Amino acid sequence: MTQPSPGQSESIGTYNNGCLAGAASLPLEGEGYQVMRSYRGRYYGHREMIRFLHDLSHGVQQLKLGQLLVGDIAMPRGGRFTSGHASHQTGLDADIWLKMADRPLSDAELVDVQPLPMVHLKDYRINRENWGEQQALLVQLAAADERVARIFVHPVIKEQLCQRQWTHRDWLRKVRPWWGHYYHFHVRLNCPAGDTSCTPQKAPPPGDGCGGELASWKPLMTEKQPKKKTARKKAKPAPPEQCLALLK
């Protein structure tokens, strides 16, 4: 599908098995942000997500953090990508790079912009040449928004956020460690009010997630790790009936 369905936005199903009716497209350029790799056609989202991204970029401009680089959101009618993501199916997920541009990028640069790693993956430590005040404030700004359900970052990035002296720390509960998110963070919004077919995710555990839970993610660096057995691929669940109709 190359075009959204008509009507009001409605997220249907779960974040990793659903679809999106009445999607809105994020303009490829706006105040303080740019969409990367637009040729993929993944810049559609629930209207609530599009509003959130505009609000976030406005906040970034006010704090003078730099130019926001927006990655994948969803396809015109949501559903599964052919590659790259298990979620992003209901228009309520978006990837935002932690690399902050100090100027608008050219069209050629946006097609093949290179990520800026915030973590030394092999050493399980932060890359202090790339990670700094701008990145920490960007994550805080996004997580403090009441529309946000979760933000996924690499465990080392979560550790850096935990170590900072914040005036208010309630938003840290939403910042969840997850492998792979070492150069970008993944924003997930709550099901919007009135979207009765949207299935919410269970709320994060109480607390800021900075204690034993975070420590449990750290790999044993001194011992040789056993090889993981190759797991059989599970059959993908059937999409909701509303989605089957929408995607036809």
Side-chain angles (χ1 to χ4, degrees):
M1 294 293 181
T2 58
Q3 296 295 326
S5 65
Q8 294 296 314
S9 288
E10 183 181 8
S11 292
I12 301 165
T14 63
Y15 297 99
N16 61 356
N17 187 32
C19 58
L20 173 63
S25 62
L26 180 67
L28 301 185
E29 238 177 278
E31 180 197 1
Y33 80 87
Q34 289 177 287
V35 173
M36 300 179 297
R37 299 169 181 169
S38 59
Y39 61 88
R40 293 180 174 181
R42 297 176 175 182
Y43 48 86
Y44 295 86
H46 193 288
R47 293 180 193 278
E48 195 64 37
M49 171 57 81
I50 303 304
R51 281 192 286 268
F52 166 79
L53 291 171
H54 281 296
D55 292 344
L56 180 63
S57 65
H58 179 68
V60 166
Q61 286 295 291
Q62 287 187 316
L63 293 175
K64 298 181 179 179
L65 299 180
Q67 186 87 353
L68 201 65
L69 298 176
V70 181
D72 291 344
I73 309 172
M75 294 188 295
R77 299 194 186 189
R80 297 188 186 112
F81 290 161
T82 54
S83 63
H85 301 283
S87 59
H88 288 256
Q89 295 194 32
T90 61
L92 297 174
D93 295 275
D95 288 340
I96 298 172
W97 281 26
L98 289 162
K99 177 179 184 176
M100 305 291 287
D102 56 5
R103 57 172 177 80
L105 302 181
S106 68
D107 291 343
E109 288 173 315
L110 288 170
V111 168
D112 195 31
V113 61
Q114 296 302 305
L116 192 66
M118 301 290 153
V119 177
H120 292 293
L121 296 177
K122 288 185 178 180
D123 299 331
Y124 197 76
R125 61 183 176 86
I126 202 71
N127 184 338
R128 299 202 177 278
E129 291 182 5
N130 299 336
W131 173 265
E133 182 82 4
Q134 290 173 299
Q135 286 72 29
L137 290 176
L138 173 59
V139 177
Q140 184 207 24
L141 185 63
D145 193 299
E146 62 181 13
R147 292 168 288 189
V148 171
R150 274 172 167 74
I151 287 181
F152 299 105
V153 297
H154 191 280
V156 168
I157 293 176
K158 168 77 175 185
E159 183 180 45
Q160 290 298 306
L161 295 170
C162 287
Q163 290 174 357
R164 291 177 64 94
Q165 298 300 313
W166 302 99
T167 304
H168 301 287
R169 298 177 64 86
D170 293 350
W171 58 272
L172 280 168
R173 179 187 180 192
K174 300 180 189 178
V175 181
R176 311 301 298 161
W178 200 259
W179 303 121
H181 297 80
Y182 62 94
Y183 63 89
H184 72 284
F185 65 95
H186 175 153
V187 176
R188 173 168 293 169
L189 301 189
N190 292 300
C191 286
D195 282 22
T196 56
S197 296
C198 178
T199 304
Q201 191 174 2
K202 186 178 178 182
D208 60 13
C210 293
E213 180 193 353
L214 179 59
S216 71
W217 284 81
K218 187 171 184 178
L220 298 174
M221 309 299 289
T222 56
E223 299 179 15
K224 189 175 181 180
Q225 297 296 302
K227 290 184 178 180
K228 291 183 179 179
K229 293 181 180 179
T230 304
R232 290 185 179 181
K233 287 187 177 180
K234 293 182 180 179
K236 293 177 180 176
E241 288 294 328
Q242 291 167 273
C243 294
L244 293 175
L246 187 69
L247 296 172
K248 285 179 182 178

